[in-house]
Amino acid sequence: MSNLAPQRGVGAAIRSAARQVWLPVGILVVVTAVDLVTGSSTAYYPFLLLAPTLAAATAPPLAILVIGGVSLPLRYWLASRDGYLGAEYTDLFRVSTWMYVMATGLAMYLSAARIRRERALVAVSEVAVAAQRAILLPPSDKLGGLRLAVRYFAVAEEAELGGDLYIALDTPFGVRLIIGDVLGKGLGAVRTAAITIGAFREAAYDEPELSTVARRVDTSVTRNAPADRFVTALLVEVRPEHVAFTHRGHEEPVAIRADGAVHVLEPPEPGLPLGLGELDPEPPRPWVVPFGEGDLLLLLTDGFADARDAGGRHYPLVDRIRALFGEGRPTVPDPVVAVERLGDDLVRHVGLLRLADDALVLALARAPDPPKSPPAS
């Protein structure tokens, strides 16, 4: 096994080099072949200039220098065969040769600038991804009598990471969660997500009322997040046989009952997103719905509803949940199975296209009570 890794490394390097130079090398071969086939009646050797210039888009400067060095004598040879090195063409050929050399040098400069930009972009992307991963820590499989699972689809175009967020905490007031989506993308969205999660972590352990937790998080986002950022969020508190929600402009949760019935839990008092609470003098009160053993709760971000297939059709979230988990199913699936099944279905819907926005699904269910041991004789 120790010899396989170097061999794979050499093979990968060869494939990478081939991807970088296949276009300019192909131009050299095609132009030379066409010039030889057509004879001296037509001169195609000036098109050799395309090889080093187009190489700036893919090849490193050293490769461009080699391509230019190879194509110069090839250019001279083709011009000689076509009869363009006579006295009447000497000055013209000399000028075109200098132009060829300068174009090769310019291509090397552009290639070096492109490589510097790519490296800087990779560095920024790695920092952004590390920051986002530090925020979106995976929850424990079991937390305060609940089973949890999450699946996250990040759409990172260059460094434009999204701002989906979530956290689950076992507090003195029960298990509390927040799921949200920051307006916008990039490092500003990641920073706002970190502010939101930090504020929720502090308030969730201190405040007995879920509405007060929401108000404290809203205040923190208003004070500390960039002025153009706000967060749609749903705050959740799991109580014995019930679950309470505080809505702040987020996607409605979906409950799958033990009998397979699917319910979209619409808030009776929709609230404004976090960071805009000052526009609403009376923030919404929590609402409570039953949540017993065998029920499954799905919390989602709008990346699911916004996903489109090749025909431009939105992902039919509720219909797909009913088809995957609803009536006619013998049992409601485990949260891990549920998020995997729903995520795979989303990927099939999108196909070869990219998601328009980050997508996040968090599933939770009550953990069954451990079986009681029979009393001792």
Side-chain angles (χ1 to χ4, degrees):
M1 294 296 292
S2 60
N3 293 330
L4 292 179
Q7 292 176 359
R8 291 173 180 171
V10 172
I14 293 175
R15 289 191 296 271
S16 176
R19 287 193 297 267
Q20 292 174 350
V21 301
W22 73 268
L23 179 59
V25 171
I27 291 174
L28 293 180
V29 173
V30 170
V31 171
T32 302
V34 171
D35 194 280
L36 292 176
V37 169
T38 56
S40 59
S41 59
T42 308
Y44 286 94
Y45 72 88
F47 289 100
L48 292 175
L49 181 63
L50 294 175
T53 53
L54 294 181
T58 58
L62 181 59
I64 297 175
L65 179 62
V66 172
I67 292 170
V70 170
S71 57
L72 270 177
L74 181 61
R75 178 175 177 275
Y76 182 87
W77 178 63
L78 292 177
S80 176
R81 287 189 75 262
D82 295 337
Y84 286 94
L85 292 183
E88 65 275 22
Y89 299 109
T90 301
D91 293 339
L92 179 62
F93 188 79
R94 183 184 300 112
V95 172
S96 63
T97 301
W98 278 110
M99 291 177 60
Y100 193 95
V101 171
M102 288 188 292
T104 302
L106 179 60
M108 294 174 62
Y109 171 79
L110 295 177
S111 173
R114 172 183 56 82
I115 291 175
R116 286 194 299 269
R117 180 181 179 276
E118 290 175 351
R119 289 175 178 173
L121 183 58
V122 168
V124 172
S125 298
E126 288 177 350
V127 170
V129 169
Q132 193 171 44
R133 287 177 178 173
I135 295 172
L136 298 180
L137 296 175
S140 303
D141 295 339
K142 293 183 179 180
L143 185 69
L146 297 176
R147 291 173 294 141
L148 297 95
V150 66
R151 189 166 182 184
Y152 180 51
F153 297 89
V155 182
E157 183 177 352
E158 296 185 345
E160 293 300 305
L161 297 180
D164 284 10
L165 60 96
Y166 65 90
I167 189 172
L169 303 171
D170 189 5
T171 74
F173 313 102
V175 175
R176 286 176 165 176
L177 308 93
I178 184 173
I179 181 171
D181 186 4
V182 180
L183 172 69
K185 299 180 182 295
L187 291 177
V190 175
R191 176 190 169 193
T192 304
I195 292 170
T196 304
I197 289 178
F200 177 80
R201 187 189 297 273
E202 291 295 324
Y205 284 102
D206 298 337
E207 301 294 343
E209 298 296 331
L210 191 61
S211 57
T212 309
V213 175
R215 185 165 59 250
R216 283 184 54 177
V217 178
D218 176 79
T219 301
S220 182
V221 173
T222 303
R223 289 176 178 172
N224 302 309
D228 59 342
R229 306 284 178 173
F230 59 83
V231 184
T232 65
L234 186 71
L235 288 78
V236 185
E237 180 181 282
V238 182
R239 304 172 181 174
E241 300 183 357
H242 294 83
V243 61
F245 301 96
T246 293
H247 181 265
R248 301 306 295 261
H250 197 68
E251 296 291 305
E252 295 88 353
V254 179
I256 307 172
R257 301 304 180 189
D259 60 0
V262 177
H263 299 283
V264 178
L265 306 179
E266 299 182 357
E269 296 182 23
L272 293 176
L274 300 173
L276 301 178
E278 58 186 10
L279 302 178
D280 188 1
E282 296 183 2
R285 294 169 295 179
W287 85 97
V288 179
V289 297
F291 183 56
E293 187 173 342
D295 294 342
L296 182 72
L297 185 64
L298 297 177
L299 312 176
L300 308 105
T301 60
D302 58 3
F304 275 84
D306 292 342
R308 297 172 182 261
D309 62 7
R313 294 179 293 271
H314 287 281
Y315 182 67
L317 177 61
V318 178
D319 292 340
R320 294 308 303 156
I321 289 177
R322 288 196 173 99
L324 294 170
F325 314 120
E327 292 82 352
R329 299 284 172 176
T331 57
V332 176
D334 180 83
V336 175
V337 177
V339 299
E340 291 300 321
R341 190 182 298 174
L342 187 61
D344 293 342
D345 191 66
L346 176 70
V347 172
R348 284 192 295 269
H349 176 81
V350 175
L352 299 178
L353 301 179
R354 295 182 59 179
L355 290 171
D357 193 6
D358 289 8
L360 170 67
V361 54
L362 191 153
L364 61 149
R366 294 191 184 274
D369 295 330
K372 297 181 180 179
S373 57
S377 305

